[in-house]
């Protein structure tokens, strides 16, 4: 097989999932009649391939995980929702009357978030947006978006970009996953292989595929709380609290060092 | 990426879907805790990749499509369920007290069908099994298994194998899908490309992937009723009736020419 062309995989699948959920717009059909659930295909660099339903990116608050609700109690001031996707969280924050900006690199996702009513959106990378004059009080990384810190090499750059966009007293509220509880031999040996190569155990090397398109390969980090604390060393952020009620998922609050 | 190793993709995914549905046995977990739905990844030779939930292979009769129920009213005598999978249909036939044998090439699928209570199973290809002394009155190809006739080249060989296993008056009951109703440009151009290469429009070239494993590439045929009639020409089978109530799905009954 040739390599698939690179495109806005996330945007395409969000658009289709929105069409399936609402009945608005052309939908991917099974056998030409029954709308099929939209599935995200995730390839890992050890050859593991998984499919995951996309519909949850559109979940209403009544369908959220408990830690999403607890995370939202921690926000304050102007919120930057990083990796806003279809606006799952940001639309609820806006509904509560709080100022919120949604940032994403996917044009299609931003389009759907706006169509669903999100007013303030930014189509950009966090690195490029860090030069903007905007300032925020809360940076939100829900839906496992703590993974966007990627790696030991990338984390300080990412965290510095947030510091440049931060008002005094700002916080990061990030949901992560501790990868080390698994007993699945496929994952255990993947973690060991990562560590043997000097990577963090849960430093996933992934690409997404949807229909004819693929993303580039990228790192996505599942780290333990102890690893997160180490990654914060030497940055302008310190770990303030961690909610581990829904282990292996956790919500970490980091605050800007004054 | 290297090519993934070849293995019993169907068996592995059926086993995991069975574990998720029943809570018995090790399950693939999302983030180490929440059982994730088992997803079959289907690659097509134009680069299209799709995921589809696997759970429906385990559906109880109350969850079936209407045409499955109508198809079962047409069986008689000793039934050979070809591509029996997890025994979705065969177990119900057995429950009704009718003689039924389930054939599959997947060791894992046969194991799950037996664990679910199916008594008479054959792990074999239809070609090799055609030399066996067994004789049947009904050949069942539900769950879109008419696709197993593959192509213009393969169909007469497949149909001849069934004829060799047939009692006088035997019938084939097969559920197929007419591919030509779609307006999705990806599928329309795929069909045209197939036809330009002398293939049937709906002659899908596929491989399945699940976790670390892949199947070999194989043909799977979605054909119109008119194409099916042509494929029967010169074989020992003739088209007796077609139930097209659930278009684009249909149930075709073919009978052995005396």
């Amino acid at each position: 097989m040739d390599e698939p062309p690179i495109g806005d995989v996330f945007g395409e699948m969000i658009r289709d999932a929105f069409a399936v959920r609402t009945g608005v717009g052309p939908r991917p059909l099974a056998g030409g009649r029954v709308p099929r659930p939209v599935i995200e295909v995730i390839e890992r660099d050890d050859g593991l391939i998984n499919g995951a339903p996309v519909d949850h990116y559109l979940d209403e608050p009544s369908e959220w995980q408990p830690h999403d609700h607890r995370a939202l109690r921690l926000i304050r001031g102007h919120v930057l929702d990083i990796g806003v996707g279809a606006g799952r969280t940001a639309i609820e924050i806006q509904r509560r009357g709080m100022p919120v900006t949604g940032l994403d690199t996917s044009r299609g996702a931003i389009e759907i978030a706006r169509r669903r009513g999100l007013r303030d959106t930014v189509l950009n990378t966090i690195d490029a947006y860090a030069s903007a004059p905007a300032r925020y009080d809360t940076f939100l990384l829900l839906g496992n978006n703590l993974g966007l810190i990627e790696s030991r090499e990338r984390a300080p750059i990412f965290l510095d970009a947030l510091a440049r966009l931060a008002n005094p007293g700002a916080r990061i509220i990030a949901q992560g996953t501790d990868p080390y509880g698994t007993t699945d031999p496929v994952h255990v040996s993947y973690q060991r292989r990562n560590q043997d190569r000097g990577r963090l155990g849960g430093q996933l090397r992934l690409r997404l595929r949807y229909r004819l398109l693929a993303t580039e390969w990228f790192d996505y980090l599942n780290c333990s709380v102890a690893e997160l604390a180490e990654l914060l060393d030497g940055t302008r952020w310190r770990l303030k609290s961690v909610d581990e009620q829904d282990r292996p998922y956790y919500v970490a609050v980091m605050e800007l060092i004054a």
Side-chain angles (χ1 to χ4, degrees), chain A residues 11-64:
Chain A
E12 296 281 313
M13 72 194 195
I14 287 290
R15 189 182 353 244
D16 283 351
F18 180 72
V20 169
R21 196 181 256 239
T22 62
V24 175
R27 282 157 284 165
L29 302 176
R33 202 191 52 164
V34 183
R36 53 161 91 230
V38 176
I39 304 285
E40 157 177 38
V41 173
I42 306 158
E43 287 187 284
R44 203 169 68 180
D45 66 341
D46 59 343
L48 185 71
I49 194 162
N50 271 314
V54 171
D55 185 61
H56 68 91
Y57 290 108
L58 298 162
D59 274 353
E60 298 295 330
S62 60
E63 302 166 285
W64 291 0

Side-chain angles (χ1 to χ4, degrees), chain A residues 99-140:
Chain A
V100 58
T101 302
L103 177 138
D104 212 291
T105 58
S106 162
R107 181 176 299 273
I110 290 282
E111 267 175 37
I112 295 298
R114 295 192 70 88
R115 203 179 319 169
R116 295 175 80 211
L118 186 63
R119 287 190 294 269
D120 190 14
T121 56
V122 175
L123 175 63
N124 209 343
T125 63
I126 193 67
D127 305 78
Y129 191 56
S131 326
R135 293 293 175 269
Y136 298 93
D137 304 291
T138 301
F139 300 95
L140 206 51

